[in-house]
Amino acid sequence: MMSGDRDETEPAFRLGWRGAHYLGSPVDDLWIAIGKEPDGTWWFDAYFIGRVPLGGGAPRSAAFAQWLLATPPEGRYEKEFMLIDGEPQRGSRQIADGTWLTVEVLMGREETGGPEFLQVLLSGETRVQRLAFEVCAPLECQPIHRSDLEDTIARLLAISADESPEAKA
């Protein structure tokens, strides 16, 4: 895929759903997204944190996509992917510049034959006051439909592949 084939303002990956982030809060549009700026900078965005830099760029995005695509076991399971691992942040409307942020994504199934779920967990440390924090209300999506997930992952993989050494050769 050539970069001119897509709208640069659209995320490479977006998973959206309707729900309430906190128990008792109003139902709203919730999402997680990964994208790339025209200058080549990769980012992660979630409903409640805003756009933050995604270290590792295309290789990290591709690894995340492959992790999501892995065939799940039939029974109960839970697996995790560290999307952002203690990286200093800038530019978020909710995360103070210089905060070291960790974004962990969990995917699993609570019962055999049940729907898959996805959760986004945030933690980190503020550098000014050296305070550790953890968001105790994870961003939890509605049950995942593999066909929807695979469509959006294909887009992320295509854009990530544009930056691979093989694509540039």
Side-chain angles (χ1 to χ4, degrees), residues 29-110:
D29 289 324
L30 307 177
W31 70 87
I32 62 171
I34 295 174
K36 185 175 97 171
E37 295 292 337
D39 70 2
T41 304
W42 283 81
W43 50 264
F44 170 75
D45 184 12
Y47 161 75
F48 59 109
I49 65 169
R51 195 174 282 194
V52 296
L54 179 61
R60 192 78 189 141
S61 298
F64 178 63
Q66 293 296 339
W67 176 81
L68 285 170
L69 277 177
T71 303
E74 290 297 318
R76 294 177 54 162
Y77 80 96
E78 184 174 282
K79 62 182 184 172
E80 63 184 53
F81 187 88
M82 212 53 95
L83 187 61
I84 298 174
D85 192 7
E87 297 173 20
Q89 297 300 306
R90 67 189 186 307
S92 167
R93 66 181 185 270
Q94 302 293 346
I95 306 291
D97 286 357
T99 297
W100 289 70
L101 182 65
T102 297
V103 176
E104 181 181 6
V105 181
L106 298 177
M107 194 155 103
R109 181 182 297 122
E110 294 178 348

Side-chain angles (χ1 to χ4, degrees), residues 119-156:
Q119 291 182 333
V120 179
L121 308 171
L122 297 179
S123 61
E125 180 181 325
T126 62
R127 289 300 180 189
V128 175
Q129 299 171 340
R130 304 206 51 86
L131 297 173
F133 67 88
E134 182 175 345
V135 176
C136 296
L139 184 60
E140 192 167 341
C141 81
Q142 293 174 344
I144 294 173
H145 299 284
R146 281 261 160 196
S147 60
D148 295 340
L149 190 61
E150 289 168 0
D151 290 342
T152 194
I153 290 171
R155 179 179 167 103
L156 178 59

Side-chain angles (χ1 to χ4, degrees), residues 1 58-59 62 157-169:
M1 171 188 266
L157 284 172
I159 293 167
S160 298
D162 285 345
E163 291 187 21
S164 72
E166 297 82 21
K168 293 180 180 179

Side-chain angles (χ1 to χ4, degrees), residues 17 98 103 118 143:
W17 63 96
V103 176
L118 186 136

